[in-house]
Amino acid sequence: MEKKYNHFETSVIHAGYDAKEMLGSLASPLFQTSTFTFETAEQGERRFAGEEEGYIYTRLGNPTVTILEEKIAELENGERGLAFGSGMAAVSAVLIALTKANDHILCSSGLYGCTYGLLSMMKEKYNIEHDFSTMESKDAIRALVRPETACIYVETPINPTMKLIDLKMVAEVAHEKGIPVVVDNTFSSPYLQRPLELGCDVVLHSATKYIGGHGDVIAGLAVGKKEFLDEVAMTTLKDIGGVMAPFDAWLLIRGLKTLPIRVDRHCDNAEKLFEKLRSHPKVANVYYPNDEEHSDYPIREKQMKRGGGLVSFEIKGSKKDAQRLLNSLKFIKIAVSLGDAETLIQHPATMTHSVVPEETRLEMGITDQLIRLSAGLEAWEDIWADLEQALDSL
Ligand SMILES: *Cc1c(COP(=O)(O)O)cnc(C)c1O
């Protein structure tokens, strides 16, 4: 797809929308309708036959949702975008579209909890097996690819330990074998990282997070080649039915306009908190992609514009101490999710990763002392003051 605007900051506002087509409306209109009327029976016939462009029924397409899909396609630099009712609806529709019974999926060693749950279900029901790889080299990946490997599925930064995977390297080795690479880009948003530009094939988002940015919508997006997403649109999206509601698309169009400013602020705050946390005596380790001393830092420099808004840290103490820290906070909110205006904090071992068996969880580096923080948009001094008093109280 040819990009219409030279800068990301302009595309988030203007891409996918032409006010002239909408009676001059500055904001994109909300088409809150389930269905679309045909002028004649023959027109209905032509629409269903695909001989005439036009909307039929909102599960098959809706003008407000289309604006969002065109916008995200341009932002991720892909051919087509597709909207879903949740991040998991996007993940499941894409993985089901890419696999058949007895296939194999190679995953990054660290996955969103429900994605892990989906893979377990696919194994049980359809014998679709999966392996985890740290993907630190081409050989590490080659060693686990099988003839029946249907795709490589990657999250980077890996939640919540912030390990990074070199996407260009993964795409190169996958394409040697003709295997597509799917990337869950939720943690970075297209402002910080664009996997398609690095050679990957499909990008997924939980738009619930940075893209929405205001903690008021659950939604998902997928971007990639038109041929593949056309297939998803007409099969695992249309027939399983995890579609996005028009109002949610409207909220996301609104949220996207401020994505670059918000994400820069999230990053500014996370950088400050990272520095403060690592010099606090009660903190044992801090994980942040912009850590210059971290061995993954060169990957951050290569593929991410900045380090992102998430910081994880291990405290010195026990699980009880981790819970006590959360309970001592004054305005930082205890909640899963991320990318909201409010600073959110959670305890992965008992919350987002509680479904992962303990042994696997510890292998992933998710100890009982690990805490994940999503830096909000507040003044960093206030966020730190709240965290510091809670740490000091341990
Ligand atoms: C939240 C999240 C999801 C799932 O998205 P929902 O919108 O909650 O369905 C998937 N991947 C990552 C990395 C997430 O953070």
Side-chain angles (χ1 to χ4, degrees):
M1 194 179 79
E2 220 188 302
K3 289 195 86 169
K4 279 211 197 113
Y5 305 97
N6 291 332
H7 292 94
F8 190 92
E9 291 77 359
T10 310
S11 295
V12 287
I13 296 168
H14 295 286
Y17 185 62
D18 184 356
K20 284 201 292 296
E21 292 171 5
M22 302 287 180
L23 305 171
S25 177
L26 176 69
S28 35
L30 169 56
F31 286 85
Q32 186 71 18
T33 184
S34 57
T35 198
F36 297 82
T37 58
F38 308 128
E39 282 169 30
T40 60
E42 289 76 10
Q43 184 182 50
E45 182 181 11
R46 287 194 303 276
R47 294 254 172 109
F48 270 89
E51 292 161 10
E52 180 187 296
E53 293 251 326
Y55 292 95
I56 297 175
Y57 182 69
T58 282
R59 183 156 42 72
L60 313 178
N62 173 285
T64 307
V65 177
T66 303
I67 294 165
L68 175 67
E69 290 175 335
E70 289 184 3
K71 208 182 265 294
I72 192 66
E74 178 152 339
L75 297 178
E76 284 286 5
N77 215 353
E79 290 177 6
R80 180 170 181 187
L82 213 51
F84 299 82
S86 70
M88 284 317 302
V91 173
S92 56
V94 164
L95 284 181
I96 294 169
L98 284 172
T99 53
K100 59 181 188 326
N102 308 316
D103 274 349
H104 171 251
I105 301 174
L106 182 59
C107 307
S108 53
S109 58
L111 285 181
Y112 183 70
C114 299
T115 303
Y116 182 85
L118 173 72
L119 289 171
S120 309
M121 183 172 78
M122 288 168 79
K123 180 164 191 293
E124 210 167 285
K125 282 181 177 284
Y126 310 113
N127 193 37
I128 297 169
E129 297 195 345
H130 56 268
D131 279 306
F132 294 105
S133 167
T134 49
M135 303 192 183
E136 76 277 4
S137 68
K138 286 189 176 177
D139 283 339
I141 298 169
R142 285 187 193 112
L144 290 170
V145 167
R146 305 182 195 170
E148 62 273 21
T149 303
C151 69
I152 296 185
Y153 188 92
V154 182
E155 283 183 25
T156 177
I158 292 180
N159 177 28
T161 50
M162 305 297 149
K163 293 198 184 78
L164 303 184
I165 291 175
D166 183 336
L167 291 174
K168 191 158 174 281
M169 181 273 286
V170 174
E172 281 167 11
V173 69
H175 294 166
E176 274 171 18
K177 316 250 178 204
I179 303 169
V181 179
V182 181
V183 180
D184 181 335
N185 202 27
T186 301
F187 271 39
S188 300
S189 88
Y191 180 57
L192 297 181
Q193 174 173 282
R194 287 185 289 281
L196 301 179
E197 292 178 358
L198 301 165
C200 299
D201 302 277
V202 184
V203 170
L204 300 174
H205 282 284
S206 168
T208 311
K209 316 293 168 53
Y210 287 104
I211 289 178
H214 294 75
D216 49 14
V217 58
I218 296 278
L221 294 164
V223 188
K225 287 261 183 316
K226 185 176 181 308
E227 191 187 350
F228 174 65
L229 287 166
D230 283 353
E231 181 199 322
V232 172
M234 295 317 285
T235 57
T236 52
L237 175 57
K238 171 175 80 71
D239 298 337
I240 297 178
V243 293
M244 183 182 286
F247 181 58
D248 291 350
W250 188 87
L251 284 172
L252 294 170
I253 292 165
R254 179 179 155 119
L256 266 175
K257 292 184 185 181
T258 54
L259 180 77
I261 335 182
R262 284 188 287 106
V263 173
D264 270 331
R265 173 65 171 240
H266 287 299
C267 293
D268 290 344
N269 284 353
E271 283 169 14
K272 294 283 191 200
L273 296 170
F274 166 65
E275 291 302 335
K276 290 289 182 187
L277 278 165
R278 76 170 168 181
S279 54
H280 195 281
K282 295 279 169 57
V283 175
N285 288 304
V286 193
Y287 304 113
Y288 185 56
N290 210 40
D291 180 355
E292 288 176 25
E293 287 159 26
H294 195 285
S295 56
D296 288 345
Y297 184 72
I299 304 178
R300 202 295 285 151
E301 280 196 297
K302 242 173 41 173
Q303 71 187 24
M304 292 176 78
K305 187 180 162 87
R306 300 186 64 181
L310 286 141
V311 185
S312 295
F313 57 99
E314 265 178 328
I315 54 157
K316 293 176 184 161
S318 62
K319 171 180 157 187
K320 272 270 149 279
D321 290 317
Q323 292 179 320
R324 202 169 296 138
L325 170 87
L326 265 55
N327 291 336
S328 314
L329 292 163
K330 300 217 156 68
F331 79 86
I332 295 176
K333 301 287 184 270
I334 308 173
V336 297
S337 201
L338 51 115
D340 292 332
E342 295 80 2
T343 294
L344 305 179
I345 201 161
Q346 65 114 352
H347 184 240
T350 58
M351 296 179 187
T352 49
H353 291 70
S354 57
V355 297
V356 183
E358 188 179 358
E359 201 189 300
T360 316
R361 172 166 69 73
L362 292 173
E363 271 168 27
M364 290 169 153
I366 305 167
T367 61
D368 287 345
Q369 294 80 29
L370 187 73
I371 290 167
R372 187 191 78 187
L373 179 132
S374 165
L377 302 176
E378 303 97 336
W380 74 266
E381 293 90 340
D382 291 334
I383 306 171
W384 174 244
D386 198 8
L387 259 182
E388 190 180 31
Q389 63 80 25
L391 280 164
D392 289 344
S393 74
L394 290 182

